[in-house]
Amino acid sequence: MDIISFQFIFAALAAAVVFHFLKGKYRVLFLAALSAAFIISLDLILIAYVAAYTIFNYYIGNKISATSRKVFYYRIGIIVNLAQLVLLRYASFSIDPVFEFLHSPVRVSSISEIIIPLGISYYTLQAIGYLINIKMGWEKPVERFESFFVYITFFPKFISGPIERSNHFLPQLEASGNPDKESLTNGLRTVLIGFFKKVAIANQLAPYVFDAFSNVQAMESQNLWIILILLPIYLYFDFSGYTDIAIGTGRLFGIELLPNFNRPFFAENVSNFWRKFHISLASWFNDYVFRQTVLKRRRWGVYASVYAVFLTWILFGIWHGGGWHFMVLGLLQALAINYEFFTRRFRRNVFAKIPTPIDKWIGRVITYLFYCISLVFFFSEDLQSAIIFISGLFGDFNTLVIDDLSTKPFMLFIYVPLFLLVELIENDYDSLYKKISDAWYSESLKYRILRWSFYSLLITIIFISGLKSEQFVYANF
Amino acid sequence: MKAFIRKLGFFTLFFLAFSIIINGIFLVIIFNSDWDFIKRRESLNFQNPDYELLVLGSSLAEYAIDSELLTEAGIHSYNLALVGSSVKTNYVQLREYLHNYENKPKYVILAINSYLERFDQEGIQPVVEFTMEGHKYTLKDVPMTKFNWAGMELIKKAFRKEYRQTYVSYGHKKSIRIEPDRSELGNAEMNLPEYENAKYIGKIAGICNDQGIEFYVIDLPAVTESQNRSEIGPYDLVYNNSDTAEFYNLNSNEFCDFIDPVKDWSGMSHFNKYGAEKFTAEMIELFFSEGSIGSKEN
């Protein structure tokens, strides 16, 4: 089932109504059935695989907690999780070349044609996180299998996250309360915003971005620059659109998923950016890789952090897929974060001489541009294409080939600045934002009409923009 | 949950009312400001029209054929072409025109481009469909979705002077926008079979032959990379063994040598008013000058 569809909205709403009338003890079962049905609608074999995967991790989790051979079961769990990830996601990059080198016709990557690795990078991290939590004693193993199944497969987050934490998600399932009117309204509102971001903004930009990356050599410099600057905006609206739909849908069932974005374009440095962009992934790597590595290598002093940063961000890059370009994506982040770490004092002194808010904006612009360059590696098919893109930026400037960029997705010049303006007010002008927000959500008739008119307008724009399901960028992982 | 469902119900009613109001306002605005609607209204309300020549086609023809210039040259013309028209739409428009008005045109020119357009699309141009007799209105006719491009045009007009300065005369859309064509000539060949096999061109030929109207089909010039190296023609197109049309390959690079690629285009293979003037002058020379095809009966 496509998430960007009427079927999804109506099915989610109908399911929320049924969920409400169910007795508490059946609610988790109902969510498990819903999630299974969702996965079946994607692929029949996938549900069998995910069910087996869930049983395995549930069993290992219990074993780690219940036996004295904690480390043994823990290692088995981690190895199996990583092995299935490598087999289904990275075989073409890491295993097939070995067979090729040995002149063997074996192609391990063909397994992924049978078991489609949809959502695998997300649910694997969730399962590994759960096993680590149990092993470290931060959490007790979950009792009910259906709860664990919902934790791994909860349908709004299955394809593209947010990457949940078991100690955040499972207690909500155990409570399994009835969402109140406010959280239902809030959920629908968030879904609506998500649809708008995806359909009215990201989908309109998608053809330009993908055309550019499929024809890098034919693109003129000035067009590459435009695409380069648009990349973070496109990715943000695409991915945060999906996340909003997931979070909003979760709220209809009384589940608050982890946030993934927090006004990332107002981050003043790269380290801070990753606390605001794809938060659930960055924080997962921070908690389970960076911190653990620093702890383990604490005798190395400052170099433990340097090493941990490189390890964390290269793994972060590889998480996105097999390929040197993803490794470079991670490496760039590691270099920037280490640079920021070692030049903290120097930069503080330099920025102290620049008046506020200019200093803030310099940081924001540099961070944004750095992310633009990073995303060339993210969107390119391979390292060579990324290099061609970057070298193309310094070619001759002729006329704009994308002459309809200013006409076809014309409304983006209104929608995107408006969205970013709201985020800017929320980020930089707390009291003003609170004032506007209080008025906006007040129960007075005037504001209710204004609010409902705004939502009606958003629905109308979504209709006009065409409610078609373009692929979510982060559904590839 | 009950309170939520009640609230959702109220919101649904509000949304319906909002949609009716906003769509109504939108329809009134585009009905009075959008060139396609204005042209459509004009062509449905001619008072005893005596046009000798009718131009059919999509926006390429709407921008390319200067019917005002043709009229000044003594060939009373109207350009019926509309943005996004399929050949089926052109067939509907011609049938409608001949049904509504007594005076038949002498000539019909269908101006299309086989490199940029497909001829067998079944859809009818939304403005024509919305205003044609016998159309059954459904939810697909909600103005803001059906005519969303007209809304975009409206916004473009609000923000850009060059769009505001575009105007329509005798159905010809005159744009002052200049968008240089920097593409280069490739190895494109004229696609004659596409014309020969086009169902609706055949139907237009059928009507014209029944009514004694001379029917010409032209492959319109487009930007250099889409021009072909084939002969200008004419070529005979025969449909159902008897319905005929004369076809001219005006997208031949040989014919297109009058085009200044820097000044004559307004973008996406559409002529601006300067290019249209030059192209129409060439057409007059080809079709209506002494000894040319159109002058045969004059």
Side-chain angles (χ1 to χ4, degrees):
Chain A
M1 181 185 281
D2 272 336
I3 285 190
I4 300 295
S5 65
F6 284 119
Q7 291 96 310
F8 181 82
I9 302 166
F10 291 129
L13 270 175
V17 173
V18 175
F19 180 83
H20 170 84
F21 290 109
L22 284 174
K23 282 185 182 168
K25 57 181 178 180
Y26 298 120
R27 284 188 175 154
V28 178
L29 265 177
F30 180 66
L31 289 181
L34 270 184
S35 301
F38 179 75
I39 297 170
I40 288 168
S41 78
L42 300 173
D43 186 65
L44 203 57
I45 297 173
L46 184 60
I47 186 65
Y49 178 75
V50 171
Y53 175 83
T54 312
I55 291 169
F56 171 80
N57 280 291
Y58 176 74
Y59 171 78
I60 292 289
N62 281 327
K63 277 290 180 190
I64 292 171
S65 167
T67 67
S68 53
R69 301 172 69 194
K70 280 185 198 314
V71 177
F72 170 75
Y73 281 107
Y74 169 72
R75 282 185 182 158
I76 292 282
I78 300 296
I79 288 167
V80 170
N81 269 290
L82 291 178
Q84 59 94 38
L85 186 63
V86 170
L87 277 177
L88 293 175
R89 281 277 287 137
Y90 303 101
S92 60
F93 177 68
S94 58
I95 304 176
D96 285 354
V98 177
F99 283 104
E100 227 168 279
F101 180 74
L102 298 171
H103 301 289
S104 161
V106 176
R107 292 287 171 273
V108 177
S109 58
S110 56
I111 299 173
S112 63
E113 289 163 19
I114 302 162
I115 302 163
I116 299 167
L118 210 55
I120 191 167
S121 304
Y122 299 92
Y123 62 70
T124 303
L125 290 197
Q126 291 183 167
I128 291 175
Y130 171 75
L131 296 183
I132 295 175
N133 284 2
I134 306 270
K135 191 246 176 187
M136 302 297 274
W138 297 335
E139 188 182 356
K140 285 186 177 160
V142 61
E143 280 177 19
R144 294 169 69 186
F145 172 73
E146 61 269 31
S147 295
F148 187 68
F149 183 80
V150 175
Y151 164 63
I152 295 291
T153 63
F154 187 46
F155 71 97
K157 68 166 177 64
F158 181 74
I159 295 175
S160 298
I163 296 163
E164 267 301 324
R165 301 296 183 84
S166 45
N167 50 6
H168 173 259
F169 189 91
L170 290 167
Q172 295 187 65
L173 276 188
E174 297 305 319
S176 201
N178 231 342
D180 59 12
K181 187 179 114 185
E182 277 319 301
S183 81
L184 288 168
T185 309
N186 193 288
L188 269 192
R189 190 188 301 134
T190 311
V191 169
L192 177 63
I193 301 282
F195 265 82
F196 184 82
K197 284 177 175 177
K198 170 65 182 161
V199 175
I201 299 177
N203 280 4
Q204 312 306 314
L205 281 173
Y208 297 97
V209 171
F210 289 109
D211 275 2
F213 280 95
S214 56
N215 294 303
V216 181
Q217 277 168 318
M219 292 289 286
E220 307 228 3
S221 282
Q222 63 276 22
N223 293 326
L224 288 179
W225 276 102
I226 293 173
I227 296 298
L228 181 81
I229 300 301
L230 286 176
L231 289 178
I233 290 175
Y234 166 61
L235 186 62
Y236 174 60
F237 282 100
D238 185 271
F239 194 22
S240 72
Y242 177 91
T243 304
D244 285 346
I245 295 169
I247 290 174
T249 310
R251 281 178 189 153
L252 298 179
F253 300 94
I255 289 173
E256 190 64 37
L257 296 175
L258 286 169
N260 244 353
F261 298 93
N262 182 22
R263 306 182 294 277
F265 298 138
F266 300 98
E268 287 148 36
N269 54 55
V270 176
S271 315
N272 188 237
F273 179 84
W274 286 111
R275 283 190 280 273
K276 289 167 168 280
F277 196 98
H278 205 172
I279 301 168
S280 67
L281 178 67
S283 69
W284 192 99
F285 275 99
N286 183 56
D287 292 350
Y288 293 117
V289 181
F290 178 78
R291 285 189 185 174
Q292 299 308 312
T293 311
V294 169
L295 206 65
K296 214 170 182 181
R297 308 278 176 211
R298 59 189 176 278
R299 284 190 197 145
W300 294 6
V302 74
Y303 297 107
S305 293
V306 175
Y307 169 73
V309 165
F310 274 108
L311 181 68
T312 304
W313 287 97
I314 287 173
L315 287 176
F316 174 92
I318 294 172
W319 177 87
H320 290 87
W324 294 103
H325 56 305
F326 287 126
M327 248 183 240
V328 173
L329 169 74
L331 186 69
L332 282 175
Q333 312 314 308
L335 285 170
I337 290 166
N338 273 324
Y339 164 80
E340 284 172 357
F341 177 73
F342 283 108
T343 59
R344 247 181 329 184
R345 201 168 296 163
F346 165 74
R347 285 183 301 114
R348 202 180 300 145
N349 291 339
V350 170
F351 278 92
K353 290 170 191 161
I354 303 170
T356 309
I358 297 171
D359 57 344
K360 271 190 199 175
W361 282 100
I362 290 174
R364 284 169 184 174
V365 170
I366 291 172
T367 307
Y368 185 87
L369 291 176
F370 174 79
Y371 193 52
C372 289
I373 294 288
S374 302
L375 284 184
V376 173
F377 295 92
F378 176 89
F379 280 102
S380 293
E381 259 179 37
D382 50 36
L383 192 57
Q384 200 186 354
S385 311
I387 291 166
I388 292 170
F389 189 106
I390 290 170
S391 53
L393 294 168
F394 304 101
D396 291 334
F397 276 64
N398 290 315
T399 50
L400 280 178
V401 174
I402 308 171
D403 62 341
D404 66 340
L405 190 64
S406 62
T407 53
K408 208 174 167 203
F410 190 80
M411 296 305 285
L412 297 185
F413 292 94
I414 299 171
Y415 305 153
V416 173
L418 272 179
F419 252 101
L420 296 182
L421 178 69
V422 173
E423 291 197 352
L424 172 71
I425 295 171
E426 191 179 357
N427 199 72
D428 287 8
Y429 306 96
D430 283 353
S431 56
L432 176 63
Y433 181 78
K434 195 178 174 318
K435 217 181 269 180
I436 295 171
S437 182
D438 287 347
W440 182 252
Y441 292 115
S442 76
E443 283 302 307
S444 79
L445 185 65
K446 186 174 79 179
Y447 281 106
R448 176 168 287 189
I449 290 174
L450 193 66
R451 209 161 58 226
W452 283 15
S453 301
F454 175 71
Y455 300 145
S456 300
L457 189 66
L458 290 191
I459 296 171
T460 308
I461 292 169
I462 290 168
F463 270 105
I464 292 169
S465 305
L467 198 62
K468 60 181 179 199
S469 180
E470 294 273 346
Q471 168 86 316
F472 284 102
V473 176
Y474 264 84
N476 293 324
F477 308 125
Chain B
M1 181 53 96
K2 276 180 193 164
F4 172 70
I5 291 173
R6 199 166 49 236
K7 193 174 175 183
L8 201 59
F10 281 130
F11 177 74
T12 307
L13 290 176
F14 181 89
F15 174 70
L16 286 175
F18 178 89
S19 298
I20 291 166
I21 293 167
I22 201 167
N23 277 288
I25 294 169
F26 178 72
L27 189 61
V28 169
I29 292 172
I30 58 165
F31 198 72
N32 291 294
S33 66
D34 183 72
W35 287 121
D36 287 343
F37 267 99
I38 291 171
K39 267 181 73 171
R40 180 72 181 149
R41 278 164 49 207
E42 192 174 56
S43 67
L44 287 175
N45 295 295
F46 287 137
Q47 299 297 317
N48 300 319
D50 56 351
Y51 294 113
E52 276 184 273
L53 167 65
L54 288 182
V55 176
L56 300 173
S58 66
S59 59
L60 294 176
E62 189 181 20
Y63 280 85
I65 299 180
D66 189 335
S67 28
E68 187 182 357
L69 199 68
L70 280 161
T71 303
E72 282 169 12
I75 309 122
H76 194 31
S77 314
Y78 192 84
N79 189 330
L80 281 171
L82 293 171
V83 172
S85 284
S86 58
V87 181
K88 184 180 179 180
T89 308
N90 302 143
Y91 165 66
V92 169
Q93 282 178 289
L94 181 64
R95 205 178 50 183
E96 199 178 46
Y97 184 93
L98 296 174
H99 174 261
N100 290 349
Y101 305 116
E102 220 170 277
N103 295 331
K104 313 297 175 207
K106 265 189 193 170
Y107 316 106
V108 165
I109 291 181
L110 175 65
I112 43 188
N113 182 293
S114 59
Y115 187 87
L116 299 166
E117 298 172 280
R118 292 288 158 266
F119 302 151
D120 282 329
Q121 286 171 341
E122 286 297 329
I124 298 177
Q125 205 267 7
V127 175
V128 173
E129 188 181 51
F130 194 75
T131 49
M132 68 191 232
E133 222 178 282
H135 175 60
K136 285 177 186 153
Y137 294 92
T138 65
L139 270 178
K140 287 181 180 169
D141 292 305
V142 172
M144 287 190 80
T145 43
K146 194 172 183 84
F147 309 116
N148 70 64
W149 90 93
M152 295 297 161
E153 290 292 317
L154 206 65
I155 292 163
K156 277 173 359 191
K157 275 184 198 168
F159 283 91
R160 293 171 80 158
K161 199 178 167 189
E162 56 191 5
Y163 285 102
R164 282 198 297 277
Q165 288 178 339
T166 299
Y167 65 101
V168 171
S169 172
Y170 291 85
H172 171 232
K173 200 179 267 182
K174 294 169 192 277
S175 164
I176 58 157
R177 186 165 188 246
I178 295 176
E179 185 69 50
D181 161 29
R182 296 190 191 279
S183 66
E184 284 176 17
L185 188 64
N187 292 315
E189 289 295 324
M190 179 190 63
N191 195 349
L192 193 61
E194 193 158 355
Y195 283 93
E196 286 169 332
N197 299 323
K199 182 169 83 178
Y200 288 105
I201 299 181
K203 288 194 171 200
I204 296 173
I207 297 185
C208 289
N209 284 4
D210 285 349
Q211 304 271 345
I213 300 167
E214 285 180 39
F215 178 41
Y216 299 104
V217 181
I218 59 174
D219 201 46
L220 274 173
V223 290
T224 315
E225 68 178 355
S226 71
Q227 290 167 13
N228 59 60
R229 296 171 189 271
S230 309
E231 297 288 323
I232 297 171
Y235 304 84
D236 286 331
L237 301 175
V238 183
Y239 303 94
N240 298 326
N241 299 322
S242 59
D243 301 329
T244 58
E246 216 160 74
F247 171 67
Y248 288 83
N249 170 28
L250 303 189
N251 196 26
S252 159
N253 182 244
E254 184 193 340
F255 180 82
C256 292
D257 63 357
F258 70 90
I259 300 170
D260 180 342
V262 178
K263 293 178 182 166
D264 290 346
W265 298 107
S266 68
M268 316 277 282
S269 286
H270 293 77
F271 277 121
N272 57 30
K273 65 180 278 192
Y274 316 110
E277 272 171 26
K278 285 159 78 173
F279 171 62
T280 309
E282 293 288 331
M283 262 184 63
I284 293 171
E285 182 70 22
L286 180 69
F287 286 89
F288 303 106
S289 63
E290 202 58 38
S292 66
I293 41 169
S295 68
K296 282 185 289 196
E297 293 174 28
N298 289 340

Short mmCIF file of all heavy atoms in Angstrom, two decimals, chain B residues 12 59 73 96 103 123 132 144 147 170 180 194 256 286-287:
data_model
loop_
_atom_site.label_atom_id
_atom_site.label_comp_id
_atom_site.label_asym_id
_atom_site.label_seq_id
_atom_site.Cartn_x
_atom_site.Cartn_y
_atom_site.Cartn_z
N THR B 12 -15.13 18.24 7.90
CA THR B 12 -15.44 17.79 6.54
C THR B 12 -16.47 18.72 5.89
O THR B 12 -16.32 19.11 4.73
CB THR B 12 -15.97 16.34 6.58
OG1 THR B 12 -15.03 15.55 7.29
CG2 THR B 12 -16.13 15.76 5.18
N SER B 59 -0.49 24.40 -27.97
CA SER B 59 0.12 25.71 -27.69
C SER B 59 1.20 26.06 -28.71
O SER B 59 1.46 27.23 -28.97
CB SER B 59 0.70 25.72 -26.29
OG SER B 59 1.67 24.70 -26.16
N ALA B 73 -3.10 40.01 -44.40
CA ALA B 73 -2.66 39.61 -45.74
C ALA B 73 -3.84 39.18 -46.61
O ALA B 73 -3.64 38.69 -47.73
CB ALA B 73 -1.64 38.48 -45.63
N GLU B 96 -17.47 21.01 -33.75
CA GLU B 96 -18.31 21.96 -33.03
C GLU B 96 -18.48 23.25 -33.84
O GLU B 96 -19.59 23.78 -33.96
CB GLU B 96 -17.58 22.26 -31.71
CG GLU B 96 -18.39 22.83 -30.61
CD GLU B 96 -17.49 23.00 -29.38
OE1 GLU B 96 -16.36 23.51 -29.53
OE2 GLU B 96 -17.91 22.62 -28.30
N ASN B 103 -21.23 29.58 -42.05
CA ASN B 103 -20.12 29.77 -43.00
C ASN B 103 -18.99 28.82 -42.71
O ASN B 103 -18.45 28.82 -41.59
CB ASN B 103 -19.60 31.21 -42.92
CG ASN B 103 -20.64 32.21 -43.36
OD1 ASN B 103 -21.49 31.89 -44.20
ND2 ASN B 103 -20.61 33.40 -42.80
N GLY B 123 -7.47 12.03 -24.48
CA GLY B 123 -7.97 13.10 -23.61
C GLY B 123 -8.39 14.33 -24.40
O GLY B 123 -7.87 14.58 -25.49
N MET B 132 -17.82 22.02 -23.47
CA MET B 132 -18.46 21.46 -24.66
C MET B 132 -19.86 20.92 -24.34
O MET B 132 -20.14 20.54 -23.20
CB MET B 132 -17.59 20.38 -25.31
CG MET B 132 -17.40 19.13 -24.52
SD MET B 132 -16.10 18.15 -25.28
CE MET B 132 -16.94 16.59 -25.44
N MET B 144 -10.28 23.75 -9.47
CA MET B 144 -8.90 23.96 -9.02
C MET B 144 -7.99 22.79 -9.37
O MET B 144 -6.76 22.96 -9.45
CB MET B 144 -8.84 24.25 -7.52
CG MET B 144 -9.36 25.65 -7.24
SD MET B 144 -9.08 26.18 -5.58
CE MET B 144 -7.39 26.70 -5.62
N PHE B 147 -8.12 22.80 -13.71
CA PHE B 147 -7.45 23.93 -14.38
C PHE B 147 -6.30 24.46 -13.54
O PHE B 147 -6.04 25.66 -13.51
CB PHE B 147 -8.45 25.07 -14.64
CG PHE B 147 -9.69 24.62 -15.33
CD1 PHE B 147 -10.93 24.69 -14.72
CD2 PHE B 147 -9.63 24.08 -16.61
CE1 PHE B 147 -12.07 24.25 -15.35
CE2 PHE B 147 -10.77 23.64 -17.26
CZ PHE B 147 -12.00 23.72 -16.62
N TYR B 170 -6.99 37.47 -32.62
CA TYR B 170 -7.49 36.48 -33.58
C TYR B 170 -7.09 35.06 -33.14
O TYR B 170 -6.76 34.22 -33.94
CB TYR B 170 -6.94 36.75 -34.99
CG TYR B 170 -7.48 38.00 -35.62
CD1 TYR B 170 -6.91 39.23 -35.36
CD2 TYR B 170 -8.58 37.94 -36.48
CE1 TYR B 170 -7.41 40.39 -35.93
CE2 TYR B 170 -9.09 39.10 -37.06
CZ TYR B 170 -8.50 40.31 -36.78
OH TYR B 170 -9.00 41.45 -37.35
N PRO B 180 16.59 32.19 -25.74
CA PRO B 180 17.43 31.69 -26.85
C PRO B 180 17.50 30.17 -26.90
O PRO B 180 17.44 29.49 -25.88
CB PRO B 180 18.81 32.26 -26.53
CG PRO B 180 18.57 33.37 -25.58
CD PRO B 180 17.36 33.01 -24.80
N GLU B 194 3.80 8.50 -38.33
CA GLU B 194 3.00 8.94 -37.19
C GLU B 194 1.80 9.77 -37.67
O GLU B 194 0.71 9.69 -37.11
CB GLU B 194 3.86 9.75 -36.23
CG GLU B 194 3.14 9.95 -34.92
CD GLU B 194 4.04 10.25 -33.75
OE1 GLU B 194 5.27 10.22 -33.92
OE2 GLU B 194 3.48 10.53 -32.69
N CYS B 256 13.55 25.93 -41.92
CA CYS B 256 13.71 26.71 -40.67
C CYS B 256 14.86 27.72 -40.72
O CYS B 256 15.19 28.31 -39.69
CB CYS B 256 13.92 25.77 -39.49
SG CYS B 256 12.45 24.80 -39.12
N LEU B 286 4.39 30.44 -48.68
CA LEU B 286 4.29 29.05 -49.12
C LEU B 286 2.87 28.67 -49.55
O LEU B 286 2.66 28.02 -50.57
CB LEU B 286 4.74 28.13 -47.98
CG LEU B 286 4.71 26.63 -48.25
CD1 LEU B 286 5.77 26.23 -49.26
CD2 LEU B 286 4.94 25.85 -46.95
N PHE B 287 1.90 29.13 -48.78
CA PHE B 287 0.52 28.68 -49.02
C PHE B 287 -0.32 29.63 -49.87
O PHE B 287 -1.20 29.18 -50.60
CB PHE B 287 -0.21 28.47 -47.68
CG PHE B 287 0.22 27.23 -46.94
CD1 PHE B 287 1.26 27.28 -46.04
CD2 PHE B 287 -0.43 26.03 -47.17
CE1 PHE B 287 1.66 26.15 -45.36
CE2 PHE B 287 -0.03 24.90 -46.48
CZ PHE B 287 1.03 24.95 -45.57
#
